[in-house]
């Protein structure tokens, strides 16, 4: 049975329930129907129709290929799926806005991530949802499966464990490890900011930025802004502004305090907003107020990215903010990670990068921003649409070049792959 929305579904169920002799077995909608049997599948790249095909794809012919790889392990990149395959790894502890819903609950999200990898980057991705929250077990498991994959995309793992997991895997693996909740968000935020500052006539080097939310995304966005040249970033959690002498800071926040808040501000997020040029919200509704936004400098840029409800609603600040972005598709300027990760991994895989470093992420942000021509910029258009097919190739090219220039590429762009 097909219903357009949950309310319609409930009305149908109630109506059928009132009919004598009819038992409601199940009521579904289009979203659930899309997920029946999962959203991805394995497909063959070569035909398997004859005895000859079988003898090459499997025994005895495959033994020659396996022996060649055993003699020269580097050949695994050219003779297996490794060259174009990414593992999407989650433990289900921070899924969307749902929180800790476990690996089974996380699986539809990771399947969706795999779809986006394929659709926008031509990257084969496979969901790996782990039945453990223990850092050491996650690291050991990912290391054990790494020979199959050309890259690891960590997803929806709660902070602060996500920091340690990523750091350890980056240290111990020779393939790119990328926590998208951190770095994908940071890349797209910086891309939007590049164009927003151009529109309002400011420079990154002169900005005062306030970030609410000092979790995985907030920390990564802050570090990316600092790397891009923003001199003054102030972070705020639910308690207050984060500053070096504040009692009870976690190790992550203590480290954060050392690299932020150069003027030593204290007080609330609203207090920090006075005279600020940019607000980046990665927290929850109500983290700042409309009056706080109104205290910002002229030409204020507001990226209120809490989902599904932004920290402050765009319609409440439309008369004061010069540029407004959110994480939602029903407002202009959606800051969406899909603009980043397919192209980033495409570029990294194309040059067999050993890492995705800061230079590659900065290059990705610049490439996303550059998809919009200067004459196209406007308050409602500082970031491309997620369906803009120019984005992923541009990002891939920029990332691959940055990988070469920073010394993490193990093959050059355009060099034919040996048989």
């Amino acid at each position: 049975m097909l219903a357009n929305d949950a309310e319609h579904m409930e009305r149908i169920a109630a109506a059928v329930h009132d009919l004598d002799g009819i038992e409601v077995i199940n009521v579904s909608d289009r979203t659930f129907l899309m997920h029946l049997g999962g959203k991805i599948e394995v497909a063959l790249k070569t035909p398997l129709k004859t005895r000859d095909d079988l003898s090459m794809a499997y025994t005895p012919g495959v033994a020659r290929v396996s022996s060649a790889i055993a003699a020269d392990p580097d050949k695994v990149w050219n003779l297996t799926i490794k060259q174009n395959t990414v593992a999407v790894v989650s433990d289900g502890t921070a899924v969307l806005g749902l929180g800790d819903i476990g690996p089974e609950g996380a699986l539809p999200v990771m399947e969706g991530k795999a779809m986006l990898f394929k659709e926008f980057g031509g990257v084969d991705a496979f969901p790996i949802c782990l039945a453990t929250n223990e850092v050491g077990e996650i690291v050991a498991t990912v290391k054990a499966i790494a020979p199959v994959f050309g890259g690891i995309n960590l997803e929806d793992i709660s902070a602060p464990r996500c920091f340690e997991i990523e750091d350890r895997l980056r240290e111990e693996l020779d393939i790119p490890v990328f926590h998208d909740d951190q770095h994908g968000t940071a890349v797209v935020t910086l891309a939007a900011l590049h164009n927003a500052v151009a529109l309002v006539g400011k420079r990154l080097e002169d900005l005062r930025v306030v970030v609410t939310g000092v979790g995985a995304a907030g920390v990564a966005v802050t570090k990316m802004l600092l790397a891009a040249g923003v001199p003054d970033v102030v972070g705020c959690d639910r308690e207050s502004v984060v500053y070096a002498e504040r009692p009870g800071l976690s190790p992550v926040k203590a480290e954060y305090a050392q690299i932020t808040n150069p003027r030593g501000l204290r007080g609330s997020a609203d207090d920090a907003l006075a005279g600020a040029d940019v607000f980046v919200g990665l927290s929850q509704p109500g983290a700042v107020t409309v009056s706080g936004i109104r205290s910002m400098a002229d030409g204020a840029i507001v990226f209120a990215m809490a989902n599904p409800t932004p920290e402050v609603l765009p319609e409440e600040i439309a008369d004061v903010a010069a540029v407004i972005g959110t994480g939602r598709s029903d407002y202009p300027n959606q800051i969406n990670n899909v603009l980043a990760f397919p192209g980033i991994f495409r570029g990294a895989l194309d040059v067999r990068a050993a890492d995705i470093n800061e230079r590659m992420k900065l290059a990705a942000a610049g490439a996303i921003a550059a998809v919009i021509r200067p004459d196209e910029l406007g308050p409602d258009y500082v970031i491309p649409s997620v369906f803009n097919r120019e984005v992923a190739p541009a990002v891939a090219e920029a990332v691959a070049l940055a990988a070469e220039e920073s010394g993490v590429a193990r093959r050059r762009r355009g060099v034919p792959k040996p048989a």
Side-chain angles (χ1 to χ4, degrees):
M1 187 176 294
L2 181 63
N4 290 327
D5 54 42
E7 185 177 328
H8 188 195
M9 219 169 44
E10 291 174 4
R11 288 200 301 267
I12 292 173
V16 174
H17 181 75
D18 291 337
L19 298 177
D20 292 337
I22 296 179
E23 178 185 358
V24 177
I25 304 298
N26 184 59
V27 178
S28 192
D29 64 16
R30 292 177 297 171
T31 300
F32 275 83
L33 292 173
M34 175 191 280
H35 286 75
L36 286 177
K39 302 188 293 291
I40 59 175
E41 65 180 1
V42 175
L44 302 186
K45 293 174 67 176
T46 58
L48 195 60
K49 298 180 178 179
T50 68
R51 187 187 299 268
D52 220 26
D53 295 338
L54 181 60
S55 69
M56 289 189 292
Y58 197 51
T59 185
V62 74
R64 294 172 50 217
V65 180
S66 292
S67 297
I69 294 171
D72 180 5
D74 203 45
K75 289 185 176 179
V76 71
W77 285 95
N78 297 320
L79 297 174
T80 74
I81 63 172
K82 185 181 182 77
Q83 65 174 262
N84 196 53
T85 306
V86 168
V88 181
V89 179
S90 180
D91 64 357
T93 54
V95 180
L96 303 177
L98 304 174
D100 186 352
I101 60 172
E104 292 86 0
L107 184 53
V109 180
M110 303 312 127
E111 286 185 15
K113 195 83 172 189
M115 291 177 73
L116 298 175
F117 265 112
K118 187 67 173 179
E119 179 68 20
F120 295 105
V123 174
D124 297 313
F126 199 83
I128 307 290
C129 296
L130 304 178
T132 178
N133 298 345
E134 206 279 315
V135 169
E137 290 184 359
I138 293 173
V139 170
T141 301
V142 174
K143 286 177 63 179
I145 66 172
V148 177
F149 299 99
I152 305 294
N153 182 94
L154 301 174
E155 192 80 16
D156 292 349
I157 300 173
S158 63
R161 296 173 312 112
C162 60
F163 301 115
E164 182 181 357
I165 291 168
E166 184 189 33
D167 288 346
R168 287 179 57 179
L169 288 172
R170 288 186 66 189
E171 179 69 27
E172 298 176 35
L173 291 177
D174 65 347
I175 57 175
V177 177
F178 185 84
H179 184 207
D180 187 51
D181 301 313
Q182 293 185 61
H183 309 301
T185 303
V187 166
V188 182
T189 301
L190 178 58
L193 188 59
H194 274 304
N195 283 335
V197 295
L199 188 65
V200 300
K202 297 183 180 182
R203 303 188 315 152
L204 292 177
E205 295 80 6
D206 301 324
L207 296 180
R208 288 170 51 185
V209 178
V210 174
V211 176
T212 57
V214 190
V219 170
V221 166
T222 295
K223 290 182 177 179
M224 179 72 76
L225 296 180
L226 294 173
V230 175
D232 188 336
V233 181
V234 176
C236 310
D237 60 14
R238 295 183 184 185
E239 184 176 329
S240 72
V241 167
V242 175
Y243 57 92
E245 298 81 19
R246 203 182 92 180
L249 291 178
S250 68
V252 169
K253 290 181 182 179
E255 178 187 347
Y256 183 91
Q258 295 301 317
I259 61 172
T260 58
N261 196 3
R263 290 172 290 127
L265 296 184
R266 302 190 182 192
S268 68
D270 272 4
D271 294 332
L273 281 174
D277 301 289
V278 180
F279 168 65
V280 178
L282 296 157
S283 47
Q284 66 284 322
V288 295
T289 66
V290 172
S291 61
I293 297 296
R294 291 186 179 280
S295 73
M296 294 175 67
D298 291 341
I301 297 166
V302 176
F303 295 153
M305 295 186 283
N307 258 323
T309 305
E311 286 82 358
V312 58
L313 293 175
E315 50 267 33
E316 296 178 332
I317 57 170
D319 63 331
V320 65
V323 178
I324 304 171
T326 71
R328 289 172 47 151
S329 60
D330 54 349
Y331 288 113
N333 297 323
Q334 184 188 18
I335 298 174
N336 191 318
N337 290 18
V338 75
L339 290 165
F341 67 82
I344 288 174
F345 271 98
R346 176 74 277 148
L349 291 170
D350 285 346
V351 295
R352 281 179 46 192
D355 190 19
I356 295 173
N357 58 31
E358 204 72 11
R359 187 163 176 176
M360 295 159 72
K361 289 180 279 185
L362 290 169
I368 295 168
V371 167
I372 300 178
R373 298 192 310 270
D375 63 301
E376 296 177 315
L377 278 179
D380 291 343
Y381 190 45
V382 297
I383 196 75
S385 162
V386 296
F387 293 106
N388 188 323
R389 296 294 175 161
E390 297 177 27
V391 174
V395 171
E397 179 70 14
V399 166
L401 177 60
E404 291 177 0
E405 293 175 344
S406 59
V408 298
R410 289 175 288 195
R411 66 183 301 273
R412 296 191 66 79
R413 292 165 299 145
V415 175
K417 299 170 184 175

